[in-house]
Amino acid sequence: MDSKRSKRIRVFGKILFILYIMFIIYFLLFSDWYGRTGEMQEYHYNFVLFKEIKRFWQYRNQVGLFAMFTNLFGNVIIFVPFGIFMPMASRYRSFFSTVFYSFGLSLCVETFQLLTRVGSFDVDDLLLNTIGGLLGYILFVAGAAVRRRHDNKKKKKNRRR
């Protein structure tokens, strides 16, 4: 890949990454969609791994499929773009860097929620968010492999001419 194209992709990735971080901060901390406006009277938190995941699965009929889906899969899905944009926008392109920074961002969000009592601190969210970042990284790697294969075919075709 030529350096101009590589630089454009990196700049585009940085812009998308910044927009995504702004979105994630707004959505996870301030969005009123999940009742994150104002301080909660009785604050809930979870420091036991898999406790809330089990609870949402066990009581899925009572809480509703939408609530179960948004809690379990929403926490994964919302971090998938992070796993894509982070290696695209930075020089930290390793599996471990992506997992580390996915966990770190999630920990910052959860700690902010714990300290401000907006939302609720949940170790299950840390796990699910990190899994989302990991899935995003896998998509990034797969996309990069497809792009490389396409570029190599294009180069071979141009050499034949």
Side-chain angles (χ1 to χ4, degrees), residues 135-148:
L135 290 175
Y137 179 78
I138 291 168
L139 290 173
F140 169 78
V141 169
V146 168
R147 188 192 76 239
R148 274 193 306 277

Side-chain angles (χ1 to χ4, degrees), residues 2-160:
D2 66 326
S3 66
K4 283 185 179 182
R5 182 174 172 203
S6 177
K7 190 173 184 175
R8 282 195 311 253
I9 289 172
R10 188 157 301 214
V11 168
F12 181 67
K14 285 180 182 184
I15 291 168
L16 288 175
F17 188 65
I18 290 167
L19 291 173
Y20 170 73
I21 293 297
M22 289 170 44
F23 164 77
I24 203 106
I25 289 169
Y26 170 77
F27 183 78
L28 292 175
L29 302 177
F30 305 111
S31 173
D32 59 353
W33 201 42
Y34 286 106
R36 289 183 169 95
T37 54
E39 191 174 309
M40 298 169 76
Q41 296 298 325
E42 185 178 325
Y43 187 71
H44 300 279
Y45 52 87
N46 172 36
F47 294 111
V48 179
L49 193 58
F50 300 115
K51 179 181 177 183
E52 287 298 305
I53 292 172
K54 285 182 202 172
R55 188 176 70 83
F56 268 91
W57 182 254
Q58 184 177 7
Y59 296 105
R60 65 187 174 279
N61 293 328
Q62 288 87 349
V63 298
L65 288 178
F66 181 75
M68 184 200 68
F69 180 83
T70 55
N71 185 279
L72 299 181
F73 299 107
N75 278 306
V76 172
I77 292 168
I78 200 160
F79 266 70
V80 168
F82 184 84
I84 296 170
F85 296 143
M86 206 216 59
M88 182 190 291
S90 73
R91 60 190 126 123
Y92 303 108
R93 293 182 165 214
S94 75
F95 166 84
F96 294 109
S97 293
T98 303
V99 169
F100 177 78
Y101 285 111
S102 295
F103 179 81
L105 176 60
S106 182
L107 182 62
C108 287
V109 168
E110 295 297 322
T111 302
F112 182 85
Q113 290 178 342
L114 180 66
L115 296 174
T116 62
R117 294 181 166 225
V118 174
S120 62
F121 183 94
D122 188 352
V123 294
D124 291 344
D125 289 354
L126 288 171
L127 173 67
L128 295 170
N129 294 158
T130 304
I131 290 170
L134 171 62
L135 290 175
Y137 179 78
I138 291 168
L139 290 173
F140 169 78
V141 169
V146 168
R147 188 192 76 239
R148 274 193 306 277
R149 184 181 310 155
H150 174 71
D151 288 347
N152 288 337
K153 283 182 181 180
K154 200 184 236 186
K155 284 179 186 178
K156 286 180 184 178
K157 188 177 179 181
N158 287 339
R159 282 186 219 156
R160 289 182 197 158

